[in-house]
Amino acid sequence: MKTTFSIIKADVGGWPGHALVHPELEKIAYKKLIDARKSDLLKDFHVTHCGDDLELIMTHTNGVDSKEIHGLAWDTFCEATEKARDLGLYAAGQDLLSDAFSGNVRGMGPGIAEIEFTERKAEPIVAFMMDKTEPGAFNFPFFKIFADPFNTAGLIIDPSIHDGFIFEVWDIQEHKNVFIKTPEEMYDLLALIGAKSRFVIKRVFPKKSSKLPSDEPVAVISTEKLYQIAGEYVGKDDPAGFVRAQSGLPALGEVIEAFSLGHLVSGWMRGSHNGPLMPVSVGNAQCTRFDGPPRVIALGFQLRNGKLTEPVDLFDDPAFDITRRRAQDVMDYMRRHGPFEPHRLPMADMEYTTLPKVMKKLGPRFKKTK
Ligand code: F6R
Ligand code: MG
Ligand code: MG
């Protein structure tokens, strides 16, 4: 049976500032989605948050880019925005960049990660949601999961994944994509995805030799760039993504191992700073110090006939304390640099922030040097 797994997310108001989603907004989303499940539009769902982003995790049989499913998400975000306005939450409706829904939320503000695939007998899925960072934050861990044998032992010792995977990489400036095979083209892949503000992994596919269908992705990431939609900085493009695991794919433990460094990502305060990505439980998915640090949560589900088990909060575990401790040390070290690069992003990446407005004022005072 084919199931579509969709995560659609948006920041429709923060509590307080850009820290967290108010529980009343999650309640609205829950009500909306439970009705959709009753009417059979959804097979199942889970509502959660990461920082100030409201996250709708949904299963259905409508395929990707479905008007009904995207419409449901859009209506949910609109209702939640109303509530956010009533409650006086901060930046209500921030990510709803258009006034009218025209069949698809792509390009309208919300972030979308979705895949339609043939369910295996038992289907483990890990949904990752990040706040205060950008889609390129997934490049490092997704490379590690599917291409780095120091992370994923199965690439060496499991014949069913020994041949490697195919990465679909998007150039989000030129709006082009390219498919790159690993391990044979690993260096080409790294040449691109190391530049994480421009080249982002969009999907990962099994190879033809795999026992899984080679045209059905096994991982996907939301790649919406809000500033490209809005033309100016409107909050970072806090991404979501998910990975299918086990039997012919990296094991669940190999999937979450990739987040054990607390790697450096861009975003954080005013979408303008580099800092460590801290894996946290849902209970700690609120952005505080310097509006951060950037955070990631991981919810693990088993999926069967479109139905989801209750999620397991995978970073709610002392095994990740060492990562959090390191992330906090790195955060403190980075903060000491104040407005200096590389804590603050390089000029090219500041183009869509509020900095050019400040620079404009100084413009006439610049004189040619001799
Ligand atoms: C980062 C983010 C926050 C805001 C910051 C200023 O993604 O959302 O760090 O950029 O709090 O917010 P405003 O301009 O709304 O006062
Ligand atoms: Mg916000
Ligand atoms: Mg956010």
Side-chain angles (χ1 to χ4, degrees):
M1 138 178 196
K2 278 208 181 192
T3 296
T4 314
F5 191 96
S6 306
I7 307 179
I8 308 190
K9 44 101 13 196
D11 174 352
V12 293
W15 174 57
H18 294 278
L20 185 62
V21 172
H22 194 285
E24 289 291 325
L25 307 192
E26 283 191 51
K27 255 193 227 163
I28 287 184
Y30 185 82
K31 271 216 229 111
K32 253 339 245 183
L33 300 195
I34 214 160
D35 287 347
R37 190 171 65 185
K38 275 188 201 141
S39 71
D40 282 339
L41 175 57
L42 291 184
K43 283 275 186 188
D44 215 343
F45 71 89
H46 182 75
V47 172
T48 190
H49 66 272
C50 186
D52 58 6
D53 295 307
L54 180 57
E55 313 272 355
L56 314 179
I57 299 172
M58 301 173 284
T59 56
H60 52 96
T61 51
N62 287 38
V64 301
D65 284 336
S66 146
K67 187 174 175 185
E68 287 73 26
I69 301 298
H70 284 216
L72 170 67
W74 184 257
D75 291 347
T76 304
F77 293 139
C78 289
E79 270 190 42
T81 297
E82 290 300 305
K83 188 72 183 176
R85 290 202 175 109
D86 286 353
L87 292 169
L89 301 182
Y90 191 67
Q94 176 187 279
D95 286 354
L96 305 187
L97 303 178
S98 175
D99 290 335
F101 177 72
S102 56
N104 191 308
V105 288
R106 213 168 283 289
M108 295 181 75
I112 311 122
E114 53 183 358
I115 299 181
E116 183 182 41
F117 57 90
T118 311
E119 273 189 31
R120 294 169 294 164
K121 218 167 44 208
E123 188 68 56
I125 296 191
V126 185
F128 292 102
M129 290 146 279
M130 298 179 181
D131 191 33
K132 304 295 184 273
T133 186
E134 61 181 3
F138 272 108
N139 283 5
F140 177 88
F142 272 34
F143 171 81
K144 288 188 83 67
I145 295 166
F146 292 102
D148 179 4
F150 283 78
N151 181 88
T152 298
L155 292 169
I156 304 291
I157 64 178
D158 179 353
S160 68
I161 59 173
H162 190 76
D163 284 355
F165 291 90
I166 300 173
F167 288 75
E168 179 185 348
V169 176
W170 281 18
D171 176 341
I172 51 181
Q173 275 171 26
E174 297 284 324
H175 305 283
K176 291 178 180 164
N177 68 343
V178 60
F179 291 84
I180 299 187
K181 293 189 178 118
T182 57
E184 55 272 46
E185 298 178 310
M186 179 192 284
Y187 298 160
D188 295 329
L189 175 64
L190 286 169
L192 296 179
I193 64 172
K196 60 184 174 35
S197 61
R198 173 156 179 189
F199 296 100
V200 299
I201 297 169
K202 176 66 185 173
R203 280 177 272 259
V204 181
F205 293 86
K207 283 192 173 160
K208 287 234 154 58
S209 53
S210 163
K211 59 184 182 190
L212 283 87
S214 60
D215 57 344
E216 293 182 1
V218 292
V220 67
I221 295 159
S222 67
T223 45
E224 281 61 38
K225 270 280 191 190
L226 288 191
Y227 70 73
Q228 291 192 348
I229 300 167
E232 64 176 325
Y233 180 73
V234 285
K236 209 62 185 175
D237 323 288
D238 310 322
F242 59 91
V243 180
R244 299 165 57 202
Q246 305 288 157
S247 51
L249 292 173
L252 185 108
E254 291 167 334
V255 171
I256 56 176
E257 171 68 10
F259 290 82
S260 59
L261 175 62
H263 63 289
L264 291 173
V265 299
S266 303
W268 206 350
M269 174 57 76
R270 297 177 187 276
S272 307
H273 293 81
N274 288 313
L277 182 71
M278 186 162 77
V280 293
S281 63
V282 177
N284 283 317
Q286 57 180 35
C287 289
T288 54
R289 187 172 172 192
F290 202 55
D291 281 0
R295 287 166 205 231
V296 56
I297 57 168
L299 294 184
F301 300 90
Q302 284 293 139
L303 172 70
R304 190 182 176 88
N305 296 331
K307 292 283 176 201
L308 295 167
T309 59
E310 280 300 302
V312 175
D313 190 351
L314 293 166
F315 292 142
D316 185 12
D317 190 305
F320 279 90
D321 284 349
I322 188 169
T323 310
R324 289 188 272 269
R325 180 73 240 166
R326 184 168 41 244
Q328 287 163 41
D329 286 343
V330 171
M331 162 176 70
D332 204 58
Y333 172 79
M334 297 296 277
R335 278 304 304 127
R336 294 292 163 262
H337 294 79
F340 285 82
E341 298 175 11
H343 181 29
R344 197 182 73 184
L345 299 190
M347 281 310 259
D349 291 344
M350 298 292 286
E351 198 183 328
Y352 293 95
T353 70
T354 39
L355 184 68
K357 289 179 187 150
V358 176
M359 296 298 283
K360 204 168 159 198
K361 197 180 77 184
L362 284 174
R365 290 171 52 190
F366 275 98
K367 303 285 175 250
K368 251 216 148 26
T369 49
K370 301 227 164 70

